Amino acid sequence: SKGWSLDTAELRRAVQVARFHSSPRAIVVINPGNPTGNVLTRKNMESIIKFACEERLFILADEVYQDNIYEGSEFLSFKKVMTEMGSPYNAMELISFFSCSKGFACECGLRGGYLEMFNMDKDVKEIFISSIAVRLCPTVLGQTVVDCIVDPPKPSDDSFELYEREKHAILQGLAEKVRLVTEAFDSMSGIECQPIQGAMYAFPQIHIPEKAIKASKERDLEPDVFYCLELLESTGISVVPGSGFGQIEGTYHF
């Protein structure tokens, strides 16, 4: 109802409920958003940072779709906003993530990525790196792609123009799909969808008739799961039920 903008009151509620059975240590933020396709404003980001500071939560910032930004939106990294907010926020611990498997390079194909640790405690950082060292690593091909992502062709390189042309074409193609999806949902009765600002997702709300809700209960399925299965069987279109992500009681999404 608010374009998927952040609600600090909801964050506080979630932490308070969690403390009845656990001890929250971190907050994970996906920006641009998965599955909502939203992009956080600076004001939203500042409120998250202040909340995390007050609640002593470590920020884990998933920023893998930062190249997928559509008209009217702007991507800002958590590191940039925290730094510009000054003390005490610029001293908070942060890990931000990036992936070649998302964005534009090899969407859901080759797997590889990296993270940046910011203001990490030295001892914790050493233990973290040691724990990573004993795990399996990505394939050589995946690592090669990460190298290409972090060190793209420079203006002086022969491949620069081709690289820029291909990157622009891929991102423009994705932007066109966003436009088509938005127009399609806007034309359908019983479906509402917020504007897609970034990433590669839409998270439309579907208004499911009472008879369909009753039929889903008889099959022991969530109504949106029932809808998604019927959609797949009727059309071959595969979508993901919103109940897997969490949604307000009595509302349904995919």
Side-chain angles (χ1 to χ4, degrees):
S1 61
K2 298 176 184 176
W4 299 118
S5 64
L6 185 94
D7 183 355
T8 309
E10 170 61 17
L11 286 183
R12 296 197 188 284
R13 184 204 65 77
V15 165
Q16 288 165 4
V17 169
R19 288 202 168 114
F20 284 112
H21 55 76
S22 62
S23 183
R25 302 293 193 201
I27 178 169
V28 179
V29 188
I30 306 175
N31 181 49
N34 175 2
T36 56
N38 71 310
V39 178
L40 292 175
T41 63
R42 178 184 285 269
K43 185 177 179 182
N44 274 174
M45 295 173 75
E46 288 176 352
S47 64
I48 292 172
I49 292 164
K50 290 176 181 177
F51 169 78
C53 185
E54 292 167 16
E55 300 290 343
R56 295 176 58 82
L57 298 174
F58 195 121
I59 297 177
L60 303 173
D62 177 338
E63 299 176 333
V64 303
Y65 287 107
Q66 59 188 263
D67 289 302
N68 305 88
I69 302 295
Y70 306 119
E71 196 174 339
S73 301
E74 179 189 16
F75 170 77
L76 298 169
S77 71
F78 266 86
K79 180 180 178 182
K80 175 182 174 67
V81 175
M82 282 170 59
T83 302
E84 292 177 352
M85 286 173 70
S87 181
Y89 310 110
N90 58 2
M92 291 170 63
E93 290 179 309
L94 166 76
I95 289 183
S96 55
F97 301 91
F98 192 77
S99 168
C100 69
S101 318
K102 308 295 180 185
F104 70 92
C106 33
E107 167 61 16
C108 291
L110 299 173
R111 293 294 179 178
Y114 65 87
L115 57 83
E116 179 184 10
M117 292 175 273
F118 184 57
N119 292 331
M120 279 281 281
D121 177 89
K122 180 174 173 290
D123 293 336
V124 175
K125 185 175 179 178
E126 286 181 5
I127 293 169
F128 182 66
I129 291 172
S130 296
S131 70
I132 290 175
V134 300
R135 293 186 175 193
L136 293 173
C137 65
T139 62
V140 172
L141 192 55
Q143 293 185 55
T144 303
V145 175
V146 171
D147 188 58
C148 294
I149 291 291
V150 299
D151 187 21
K154 299 171 182 62
S156 58
D157 294 336
D158 291 341
S159 57
F160 179 75
E161 285 189 19
L162 177 60
Y163 171 80
E164 286 293 300
R165 193 160 64 244
E166 288 187 359
K167 177 180 177 180
H168 179 74
I170 292 168
L171 292 173
Q172 279 296 107
L174 292 168
E176 176 63 11
K177 290 174 185 174
V178 162
R179 185 187 66 79
L180 290 170
V181 166
T182 302
E183 288 180 359
F185 285 142
D186 284 347
S187 70
M188 296 177 189
S189 60
I191 294 183
E192 295 175 42
C193 190
Q194 295 294 329
I196 304 166
Q197 300 172 316
M200 291 176 159
Y201 308 98
F203 199 55
Q205 181 177 353
I206 42 174
H207 299 283
I208 300 177
E210 283 302 319
K211 280 179 71 176
I213 292 173
K214 183 181 178 184
S216 70
K217 300 297 183 186
E218 289 170 356
R219 288 174 56 178
D220 198 27
L221 293 171
E222 289 291 333
D224 54 1
V225 175
F226 176 69
Y227 177 92
C228 293
L229 289 172
E230 289 292 315
L231 181 66
L232 178 62
E233 291 172 6
S234 302
T235 68
I237 297 170
S238 177
V239 297
V240 182
S243 52
F245 298 97
Q247 51 194 352
I248 293 174
E249 188 74 26
T251 67
Y252 308 106
H253 300 76
F254 66 78

